[in-house]
Amino acid sequence: MGPDKPRWRSPLRGVWLTSVLGAVLLATLPIVTLTGLLSYIAYGPRLGQAIPADVGWLKLPTFDWPTDPAWLYQSTQGLHVGLGLVLIPVVLAKLWSVIPKLFIWPPATSPAQLLERLSLLMLVGGVLFEIVTGVLNIQYDYLFGFSFYTAHYFGAWVFIAGFVVHIALKIPRMRAGLRSMSLREVLRTDRRGTRPQAPDADGLAPADPDPPTISRRGALALVGGGALLMAVLTAGQTIGGFTRQAALLLPRGRSYGDGPNAFQINRTARAAGITAADTGAAWRLTLRGGPRPLVLSRAALEALPQHTARLPIACVEGWSTAQTWSGVRLRDLAALAGVPAPASALVSSVERRGAFTRARLQANQIRHPDSLLALRVNGAELSLDHGHPARVIVPALPGVHNTKWVATIDFEGR
Ligand SMILES: Nc1nc2c(c(=O)[nH]1)N[C@H]1C(S)=C(S)[C@@H](COP(=O)(O)O)O[C@H]1N2
Ligand SMILES: [Mo]
C-alpha cells in the first residue's frame, strides 16, 4: 500500500503536521532519554549495582551520584517517567502522520535508502518498546521473561541510534515543513477552511484527499489534550499534596490512611516475609569493618545523638514522597564502628528473599550530615511497613537503595 492507494486520505496529512509533531519530540525526547541514562548512573554502576551490570561497550561515563540537592533523583526520575507518559499521545500522533511511509514496498531501492529504513525501524521499534516496557514496569506488571531494566536499557540504545540518524537525515525537511504553513494561520482556521497540503516528495500528503472531518488546530488540541490528561494523571505522584489525589497512574495507590506513617509502601513487611521475631526485642544492628564487630540494640541506637531531616523517597517508578525522618547519622555509626573515613558501606536487611535486600552506598552518601539510619518518621515510630526497627534514608538516593529493616552495615575504609 502507498500514498496513492485509497488509504490514509486525511487532508491533515502533510509535511507541516509531521514537522510540528517532530519538532515537539525533538525538543522533549532527549530529556526523557538523558534522565533515563542518569537513573542508570544513580544506581551506581561503579559499585556494581546498576542493572544491567555488564553493558559491554555501551558504558556510560560514571561519577559519584550527588547528594545535593536532596530532590535531585526525585526530579530527574519524576521527569523521566512523567514526561515519558505525557509524550505518548504525541508519539502516536507522529506515527499516525507518517503511516503511509512505514509500509512502503519494496522497503529500499538503494543502499542509502536501506540505511534510512533501518534507522526508522530502530526509531519506531525502539520508542514503542521503551513505552510499553516502561508503562508495564510502573504498573508493576513484570510480565516478561526478561529483566525490565536490561530490556529498557538496551532498548534505549536502539532508540538513540535510530533517533540520531533520523534527526541527521530529516532536520532540513522538518525546517522546510515548518515553513510550509503558518502556525498562526493554522490556529485561526476552522474545519471548513482546512485545505490539504500539496503532494510532497516524501509522500506524506495524500494524492486524493478526503474532505476534512476536523481542523488542524482541532487535531493539535486533541493531541495536546491527551498529553495534558496524562500530565494530570501523573504529576501528583511527584508534586504531592492534593494533586496526589489525581495521580491515577500512581502504582502504589493514592493514600495510606492517616497518621505519621501514611505514605506509599513499596513492599509491605508481610510481602517481604518480615516477622516479629526478626524485628522485635531480639533485633540487633551489627556494624562491621572496624577492629571488631559492634552490636547495638534498638535502645542503644536511641541513646546516640539523633538528627532530623526532611528527605524524599523517590522510586525508579517515578513516584516520590518527602517525609521528616529522625535517627542516627550514618557517619556517626561509621565512626563508632571504627571506620571514620569510609569509602563505601554495604547495608543488608533482615529480609532474605526479596530482590532489594542490600545496597552499597558511596562515600559522599555516608558522609552527608542528613544521611540517616532512621528510627522515626514524622515524629512517630517507623511502622513495620516502612522499615521498623531501622531503615536507611539518604539525600538524592534512588528509593530502592534506602534499605528497610536493616540488620548489618559493613563499612569499608580507604
Ligand atoms: N528491605 C527492603 N528495603 C527496601 C525495599 C524492599 O523491598 N526491601 N524496597 C525499596 C524500594 S524499591 C523503595 S522505592 C523504598 C520504598 O520505601 P517505602 O516502602 O517506605 O515507601 O524502599 C526500598 N527499601
Ligand atoms: Mo523503588
Side-chain angles (χ1 to χ4, degrees), residues 266 315-317 319 399-400:
N266 169 273
C315 183
V316 68
E317 293 158 5
W319 62 265
V400 62

Short mmCIF file of all heavy atoms in Angstrom, two decimals, residues 266 315-317 319 399-400, ligand 2:
data_model
loop_
_atom_site.label_atom_id
_atom_site.label_comp_id
_atom_site.label_asym_id
_atom_site.label_seq_id
_atom_site.Cartn_x
_atom_site.Cartn_y
_atom_site.Cartn_z
N ASN A 266 6.35 0.54 49.26
CA ASN A 266 6.74 -0.20 48.07
C ASN A 266 6.46 -1.68 48.26
O ASN A 266 5.90 -2.34 47.42
CB ASN A 266 8.23 0.04 47.79
CG ASN A 266 8.74 -0.90 46.74
OD1 ASN A 266 9.16 -2.01 47.03
ND2 ASN A 266 8.68 -0.48 45.49
N CYS A 315 11.17 6.70 44.01
CA CYS A 315 11.29 5.38 43.39
C CYS A 315 11.58 5.52 41.90
O CYS A 315 11.18 6.48 41.26
CB CYS A 315 10.02 4.58 43.61
SG CYS A 315 10.10 2.89 42.94
N VAL A 316 12.26 4.52 41.35
CA VAL A 316 12.54 4.48 39.91
C VAL A 316 11.25 4.50 39.10
O VAL A 316 11.22 4.88 37.94
CB VAL A 316 13.38 3.22 39.58
CG1 VAL A 316 12.55 1.96 39.78
CG2 VAL A 316 13.95 3.27 38.18
N GLU A 317 10.14 4.10 39.73
CA GLU A 317 8.85 4.08 39.03
C GLU A 317 8.25 5.47 38.87
O GLU A 317 7.17 5.61 38.30
CB GLU A 317 7.87 3.18 39.79
CG GLU A 317 8.29 1.73 39.74
CD GLU A 317 7.69 0.91 40.87
OE1 GLU A 317 6.87 1.46 41.62
OE2 GLU A 317 8.05 -0.26 40.98
N TRP A 319 7.22 7.71 41.26
CA TRP A 319 6.55 8.33 42.40
C TRP A 319 7.57 8.75 43.44
O TRP A 319 8.66 8.18 43.52
CB TRP A 319 5.49 7.41 43.02
CG TRP A 319 6.00 6.11 43.59
CD1 TRP A 319 6.05 4.90 42.96
CD2 TRP A 319 6.54 5.89 44.90
NE1 TRP A 319 6.57 3.95 43.79
CE2 TRP A 319 6.88 4.52 44.99
CE3 TRP A 319 6.76 6.70 46.00
CZ2 TRP A 319 7.44 3.96 46.13
CZ3 TRP A 319 7.32 6.14 47.14
CH2 TRP A 319 7.66 4.78 47.21
N GLY A 399 15.21 5.42 45.50
CA GLY A 399 14.40 4.80 46.57
C GLY A 399 14.84 3.40 46.93
O GLY A 399 14.92 3.05 48.11
N VAL A 400 15.17 2.61 45.92
CA VAL A 400 15.47 1.21 46.13
C VAL A 400 16.65 0.99 47.08
O VAL A 400 16.75 -0.04 47.74
CB VAL A 400 15.72 0.51 44.77
CG1 VAL A 400 16.91 1.12 44.07
CG2 VAL A 400 15.88 -0.98 44.93
MO MO B 2 11.51 1.61 44.38
#
